[in-house]
């Protein structure tokens, strides 16, 4: 029989002893947080055509590095074009068949791309990538769970599906 890699109670969480005193005693950082489904916070950044609800955020749990919540898109509805700033966004489809639309400008001509998703699918949205969510189903709401690499829901609403240059102008099309 082989020796255990660590002695019980040693080395399993070595970082716990290096936690700054002010963080170790802060109430939001010394316990787990349970956010019930009926307690999601609708007071978060919004985009037309959809509704976001925060579960995990700096405001709700003291999160310092991530945001997590839900987005609901009504039947036969499309969100406005937007991006999420420097935040990476991971999406998990819970129900419905949402479509995620973005502009692929890696080729000679920019091309609109539509990713059709189903329950159980995942979508990754890199920082600053303009996109929109659509729900073409005439009767079923689309619900997704979102996780972001920032503690708040950064939302930059756009007039079109591409980011405007820093000078405020835009390309035609």
């Amino acid at each position: 029989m082989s020796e255990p890699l660590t002695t019980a109670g040693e080395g399993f969480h070595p970082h716990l002893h290096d936690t700054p005193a002010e963080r170790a005693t802060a109430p939001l950082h010394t316990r787990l947080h349970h956010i019930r489904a009926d307690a999601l916070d609708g007071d978060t950044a919004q985009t037309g055509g959809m509704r976001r609800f925060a579960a995990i955020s700096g405001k709700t749990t003291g999160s310092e590095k991530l945001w997590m919540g839900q987005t609901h898109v009504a039947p036969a509805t499309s969100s406005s074009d937007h991006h999420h700033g420097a935040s990476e966004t991971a999406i998990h489809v819970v129900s419905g068949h949402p479509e995620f639309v973005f502009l692929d400008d890696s080729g000679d001509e920019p091309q609109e791309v539509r990713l059709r998703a189903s329950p159980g699918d995942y979508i990754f949205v890199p920082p600053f990538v303009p996109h929109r969510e659509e729900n073409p189903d005439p009767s079923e709401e689309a619900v997704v769970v979102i996780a972001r690499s920032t503690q708040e829901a950064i939302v930059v609403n756009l007039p079109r599906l591409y980011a405007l240059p820093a000078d405020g102008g835009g390309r035609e099309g």
Side-chain angles (χ1 to χ4, degrees):
M1 183 171 227
S2 64
E3 294 288 320
L5 296 176
T6 59
T7 304
E10 292 181 11
F12 188 70
H13 294 289
H15 63 282
L16 290 179
H17 303 292
D18 298 333
T19 304
E22 65 276 0
R23 182 184 166 112
T25 58
L28 293 176
H29 296 288
T30 59
R31 62 184 179 88
L32 299 181
H33 297 266
H34 180 186
I35 294 80
R36 297 186 183 280
D38 62 356
L40 298 181
D41 182 5
D43 185 23
T44 185
Q46 299 295 331
T47 297
M50 63 191 323
R51 187 81 176 119
R52 289 187 188 90
F53 299 92
I56 311 296
S57 69
K59 184 173 117 180
T60 63
T61 65
S63 169
E64 295 177 356
K65 297 181 181 170
L66 65 89
W67 182 95
M68 189 171 192
Q70 289 183 1
T71 297
H72 296 241
V73 180
T77 302
S78 202
S79 78
S80 299
D81 299 328
H82 61 281
H83 69 74
H84 302 290
S87 183
E88 292 184 331
T89 301
I91 300 169
H92 176 72
V93 180
V94 175
S95 63
H97 296 274
E99 296 183 1
F100 299 87
V101 183
F102 68 100
L103 191 67
D104 182 358
D105 58 2
S106 63
D108 292 337
E109 291 290 320
Q111 180 178 5
E112 189 175 283
V113 176
R114 182 174 304 273
L115 303 175
R116 292 176 176 89
S118 296
D121 289 355
Y122 291 83
I123 300 288
F124 174 70
V125 181
F128 299 103
V129 174
H131 61 283
R132 72 175 168 264
E133 288 86 23
E134 296 182 358
N135 181 6
D137 190 291
S139 59
E140 183 182 9
E141 177 180 60
V143 178
V144 301
V145 170
I146 302 169
R148 294 217 178 94
S149 61
T150 55
Q151 82 281 9
E152 293 304 328
I154 297 169
V155 177
V156 179
N157 292 307
L158 302 169
R160 302 185 113 180
L161 196 57
Y162 56 83
L164 298 173
D167 67 4
R171 63 181 172 202
E172 295 300 314

